[in-house]
Amino acid sequence: MEKVKVISYGMGAVGGFIAKFLLEKEGVEIVGAVDVAKDKVGKDLGEVLDLKRKVGIKISESIESALQKTKADIAIHTTSSFLKDTYPQIASILKQGVNVISTCEELSYPYGSEPKLAEQLDALAKKHDATVLGTGINPGFLMDTLAITLTSACEKIERIEVTRVMNAGTRRVPFQKKIGAGLTVEEFQKKISEKNITGHVGLEQSISMIASALAWKLDKIVVQSVEPVIAKKTVESKDIKVNAGKVAGLKQKAKGIMENREVINLDFQAYIGAEEEYDSITIKGVPNINQKIQPCVHGDIGTVAVVVNAIPRVINAPAGLYTMKDMPVPSATPEDIRKYIKTV
Amino acid sequence: MEKVKVISYGMGAVGGFIAKFLLEKEGVEIVGAVDVAKDKVGKDLGEVLDLKRKVGIKISESIESALQKTKADIAIHTTSSFLKDTYPQIASILKQGVNVISTCEELSYPYGSEPKLAEQLDALAKKHDATVLGTGINPGFLMDTLAITLTSACEKIERIEVTRVMNAGTRRVPFQKKIGAGLTVEEFQKKISEKNITGHVGLEQSISMIASALAWKLDKIVVQSVEPVIAKKTVESKDIKVNAGKVAGLKQKAKGIMENREVINLDFQAYIGAEEEYDSITIKGVPNINQKIQPCVHGDIGTVAVVVNAIPRVINAPAGLYTMKDMPVPSATPEDIRKYIKTV
């Protein structure tokens, strides 16, 4: 079997991490790269990734242009969190008959927030015999797929609580900026109102995915507003010092309500100085299940893993739009990635 | 849609727990029951289950006899741990075109230990347009499917360790007897050599399933002998008192070896007086993942859940033999079970 041919669509931080990993990974080759940023188009992938070498692939401005000289099996798409923004890009890839895995948070479970776009993507994928999946570490795994998986050990379920607490002090600077670390509360609120800080995108999608897996018809999903976490004492990391009273990061909760009961509760916290970092899932039911991953799974590494590990599954799947809950049990691909691809 | 028609095949402890749960569960009905024990055949299911009422279903001696007056969608089969023993029974069900979920431990991943029987079951299932799955809480979930799922957040994997520690003091008496609680070490060893104590069946299958999911070609699987856990001080539970020096239960380890390295390590412990009960999964890789469920998932409740929750998935699946890793992401079925069945 030939190597799996990948188009790297999106040269931001996450797209870069995935591309670097793919350049090392056995059984796969990057055959093209796309970014809309004028200052990246035309440059060699190696330069854009800050490698010390040229890769021999120039950044294209569109999927059509990237595919002029090559075929591709799949595109890894990493440009924006919102499906309204990414729809034209993902549609353009599907129209070329190329499979897509996207980190677009809203695509992880689009049937609630963007049902029409979801329907169109499914139709387009089927028309062009391609498969499209939205995934990542979160949404896509920690606060939805893993919680769903754990419910399978339960006879009855009353309530599901998922908490992710990250110490942003150990993360990259752009992430620290994204969560408002170091700002005053006023500055933080201003950035929120200007949508320069969006918090975590995906809580609504994770709740919808869990509810759908359990066939729960929720009355509503309440996504609370993003709130600052204020440093109680001065906290420091390698890159930043946050004085007491300043913003150390953010927190956000979301709830799924059914028959006037809160049946799903997601709690996301990312701030500098978090003393305990963890991902926990608590199921109240028969039996109760208390699960904890400690420390929490690193977001960037986890997203690279979940996305790349999904490549063979997406290639194996029938055409159409999928979410993680409808795919086979996910797993790592530590060997040559071709070993995970079904040959019929 | 009509209710899902289930045959309850096997009226031992686990079969009884599942049958009782199914009698309460929405969207499903038990239409027949099978057991080979002469003292059960002909009795009403309610009597065999120690209910205070008749169910109106008589225990049949075979699947053919149970199906004389009714059709069935699926049989829940719970008779023995070993595929050599259960093969004729499972084959007899498949020949009737009825789907099967079996708690037969060796069926959870039969391709390593019983490749020929696995091939025959797959062929038989396909011939009669039926699906067959071996599952339960363990093997089937805690030490394999869940570990596999967690690997999907990893870019690289060096080693996987799964530990299950159960305090047998909180479990039913037959389980305490099965693990040798209260015996002297000599009595325990005698029962081991006479195969009256077998330990946990399934470690080899769980290792094979994990390795297969990761496309790891193991050199060998080493299942260590079952060892007694000796009570260091007198330990007591509701039903039993174990004096210091006597056997409190048992422990067993198994390893998957690849290129002279131990890459998978399973550790099963069940004894009275275990101070901490948990299920843990540790992945050494990129990133490391340390996951713990505390307390451990109750074996009987978990098996009922995993088996019943698999009913819609098995009905939805194409014909053939499946293992958990090849099914869609598992999940609970808290609503009417028909809501999880695909209607095409």
Side-chain angles (χ1 to χ4, degrees):
Chain A
M1 193 193 297
E2 279 182 48
K3 285 187 178 178
V4 174
K5 293 180 168 50
V6 178
I7 301 278
S8 193
Y9 194 121
M11 286 291 118
V14 170
F17 295 140
I18 295 173
K20 280 180 194 168
F21 183 62
L22 287 175
L23 286 173
E24 289 174 8
K25 175 122 189 98
E26 237 185 310
V28 58
E29 58 179 335
I30 298 183
V31 295
V34 178
D35 200 287
V36 293
K38 290 271 183 290
D39 61 330
K40 288 180 183 166
V41 173
K43 285 189 179 160
D44 186 86
L45 178 60
E47 189 183 347
V48 172
L49 294 179
D50 272 332
L51 304 178
K52 304 284 178 221
R53 62 182 177 96
K54 290 206 171 183
V55 171
I57 289 171
K58 296 245 176 296
I59 309 296
S60 304
E61 62 187 348
S62 69
I63 187 75
E64 294 82 0
S65 141
L67 287 175
Q68 266 172 0
K69 292 180 198 160
T70 182
K71 288 188 173 184
D73 299 303
I74 194 161
I76 305 298
H77 172 271
T78 57
T79 64
S80 154
S81 302
F82 304 102
L83 192 52
K84 278 201 179 69
D85 301 335
T86 57
Y87 178 85
Q89 299 169 348
I90 296 171
S92 73
I93 304 169
L94 292 174
K95 282 177 188 160
Q96 302 293 325
V98 172
N99 299 303
V100 183
I101 299 173
S102 174
T103 58
C104 172
E105 281 89 339
E106 285 191 345
L107 186 63
S108 66
Y109 199 84
Y111 307 104
S113 51
E114 297 287 0
K116 201 166 160 229
L117 295 181
E119 199 182 306
Q120 287 171 220
L121 279 180
D122 185 55
L124 206 54
K126 284 174 177 156
K127 184 177 169 192
H128 297 280
D129 194 23
T131 304
V132 50
L133 171 74
T135 195
I137 194 72
N138 182 32
F141 188 70
L142 290 170
M143 297 186 98
D144 39 48
T145 307
L146 185 56
I148 290 168
T149 300
L150 284 169
T151 67
S152 70
C154 296
E155 293 179 0
K156 293 174 187 178
I157 305 208
E158 298 254 312
R159 180 181 158 88
I160 298 170
E161 293 170 17
V162 187
T163 302
R164 175 157 170 80
V165 179
M166 300 161 70
N167 178 4
T170 64
R171 304 302 148 100
R172 57 194 159 93
V173 175
F175 182 80
Q176 293 170 350
K177 290 210 170 136
K178 210 171 125 186
I179 61 166
L183 300 179
T184 64
V185 175
E186 293 67 37
E187 289 166 341
F188 182 90
Q189 297 297 7
K190 185 154 180 281
K191 280 190 187 278
I192 289 277
S193 66
E194 289 166 350
K195 300 197 174 168
N196 285 320
I197 292 178
T198 53
H200 171 67
V201 180
L203 294 178
E204 181 186 343
Q205 286 70 29
S206 291
I207 289 180
S208 291
M209 196 200 295
I210 294 171
S212 166
L214 300 180
W216 278 353
K217 296 274 179 218
L218 300 181
D219 302 324
K220 61 178 173 181
I221 295 173
V222 181
V223 180
Q224 294 180 348
S225 52
V226 178
E227 286 178 30
V229 176
I230 315 294
K232 284 177 189 150
K233 54 180 185 184
T234 299
V235 286
E236 252 177 295
S237 77
K238 189 163 62 71
D239 306 301
I240 194 169
K241 182 177 173 181
V242 178
N243 290 321
K246 290 276 183 74
V247 173
L250 56 77
K251 59 185 179 180
Q252 188 168 20
K253 283 190 183 183
K255 304 169 183 183
I257 313 286
M258 186 170 68
E259 292 160 11
N260 297 317
R261 269 190 331 113
E262 197 183 303
V263 291
I264 302 173
N265 185 303
L266 305 190
D267 184 349
F268 178 91
Q269 303 175 31
Y271 58 99
I272 294 174
E275 282 179 10
E276 194 194 6
E277 291 201 290
Y278 62 90
D279 290 294
S280 74
I281 297 170
T282 305
I283 303 174
K284 303 285 181 199
V286 178
N288 293 326
I289 292 186
N290 303 304
Q291 188 253 25
K292 201 166 189 180
I293 297 174
Q294 213 168 9
C296 65
V297 179
H298 190 291
D300 294 333
I301 300 174
T303 289
V304 172
V306 168
V307 167
V308 172
N309 291 331
I311 290 175
R313 285 179 164 67
V314 166
I315 291 176
N316 290 339
L321 170 64
Y322 287 79
T323 71
M324 287 293 279
K325 79 171 187 66
D326 300 311
M327 303 288 284
V329 168
S331 64
T333 54
E335 303 292 311
D336 186 312
I337 208 161
R338 290 171 286 188
K339 290 192 183 175
Y340 308 92
I341 293 175
K342 282 184 199 157
T343 47
V344 184
Chain B
M1 194 193 299
E2 280 183 48
K3 285 187 179 179
V4 174
K5 293 179 168 52
V6 177
I7 301 279
S8 193
Y9 193 121
M11 286 291 119
V14 171
F17 294 139
I18 295 173
K20 280 180 194 168
F21 183 62
L22 287 174
L23 286 172
E24 288 174 10
K25 175 120 191 102
E26 239 186 306
V28 58
E29 59 179 334
I30 298 182
V31 295
V34 178
D35 200 287
V36 292
K38 291 271 184 292
D39 61 330
K40 288 180 182 165
V41 173
K43 285 188 178 161
D44 185 86
L45 178 61
E47 188 183 347
V48 172
L49 294 179
D50 272 333
L51 305 178
K52 304 286 181 219
R53 62 182 177 97
K54 290 206 171 181
V55 172
I57 289 170
K58 295 244 178 296
I59 309 297
S60 304
E61 62 189 347
S62 69
I63 187 74
E64 294 81 2
S65 139
L67 287 175
Q68 265 171 4
K69 292 178 197 160
T70 182
K71 288 187 173 184
D73 299 301
I74 194 162
I76 305 297
H77 172 270
T78 57
T79 64
S80 154
S81 302
F82 304 102
L83 192 51
K84 279 203 178 66
D85 301 336
T86 57
Y87 179 85
Q89 299 169 349
I90 296 171
S92 74
I93 304 168
L94 291 174
K95 282 177 188 161
Q96 302 293 324
V98 172
N99 299 302
V100 183
I101 299 172
S102 174
T103 58
C104 173
E105 280 89 338
E106 285 191 343
L107 187 63
S108 67
Y109 199 85
Y111 306 105
S113 50
E114 297 286 1
K116 200 165 161 231
L117 294 181
E119 197 182 307
Q120 287 171 219
L121 279 180
D122 185 56
L124 205 56
K126 284 173 177 158
K127 182 175 170 194
H128 297 279
D129 194 23
T131 303
V132 51
L133 171 74
T135 195
I137 194 72
N138 182 32
F141 188 70
L142 290 171
M143 297 186 98
D144 38 49
T145 306
L146 185 56
I148 290 168
T149 301
L150 285 169
T151 66
S152 70
C154 296
E155 293 180 0
K156 293 175 188 177
I157 305 207
E158 298 254 311
R159 181 182 156 88
I160 298 170
E161 294 170 18
V162 187
T163 303
R164 176 159 169 79
V165 180
M166 301 161 69
N167 177 4
T170 64
R171 304 302 148 99
R172 56 195 160 91
V173 175
F175 182 80
Q176 294 170 348
K177 289 206 171 140
K178 211 172 125 185
I179 60 166
L183 300 179
T184 64
V185 175
E186 293 68 36
E187 288 165 342
F188 182 90
Q189 297 297 7
K190 186 154 181 281
K191 279 188 188 279
I192 288 278
S193 65
E194 288 165 350
K195 300 195 173 171
N196 284 320
I197 292 178
T198 53
H200 172 66
V201 181
L203 294 178
E204 181 186 342
Q205 286 70 30
S206 290
I207 289 179
S208 292
M209 196 200 296
I210 294 170
S212 166
L214 300 180
W216 278 353
K217 297 275 178 217
L218 299 180
D219 302 323
K220 60 180 174 180
I221 295 173
V222 181
V223 180
Q224 295 179 346
S225 51
V226 179
E227 286 177 29
V229 175
I230 314 295
K232 285 179 189 147
K233 54 182 186 183
T234 299
V235 286
E236 251 177 297
S237 77
K238 191 165 59 73
D239 306 300
I240 195 170
K241 182 178 173 181
V242 178
N243 290 321
K246 288 275 183 72
V247 173
L250 56 77
K251 59 184 178 181
Q252 187 169 22
K253 282 191 183 181
K255 303 169 184 183
I257 313 286
M258 186 170 69
E259 292 159 11
N260 297 317
R261 271 191 329 114
E262 197 182 305
V263 290
I264 303 172
N265 185 302
L266 305 189
D267 183 350
F268 178 91
Q269 304 175 30
Y271 58 99
I272 293 174
E275 282 179 12
E276 195 194 5
E277 291 200 290
Y278 63 90
D279 289 295
S280 74
I281 297 170
T282 305
I283 302 174
K284 303 285 181 200
V286 179
N288 293 325
I289 293 186
N290 303 303
Q291 188 253 24
K292 200 167 190 179
I293 298 174
Q294 212 168 8
C296 66
V297 179
H298 191 291
D300 293 333
I301 299 173
T303 289
V304 171
V306 169
V307 167
V308 172
N309 291 332
I311 289 175
R313 285 180 164 66
V314 167
I315 290 175
N316 291 340
L321 170 64
Y322 287 79
T323 70
M324 287 293 277
K325 81 174 184 65
D326 300 310
M327 303 288 283
V329 169
S331 64
T333 55
E335 303 293 310
D336 185 310
I337 208 160
R338 289 169 287 188
K339 290 190 183 175
Y340 309 92
I341 293 176
K342 281 184 199 154
T343 48
V344 184

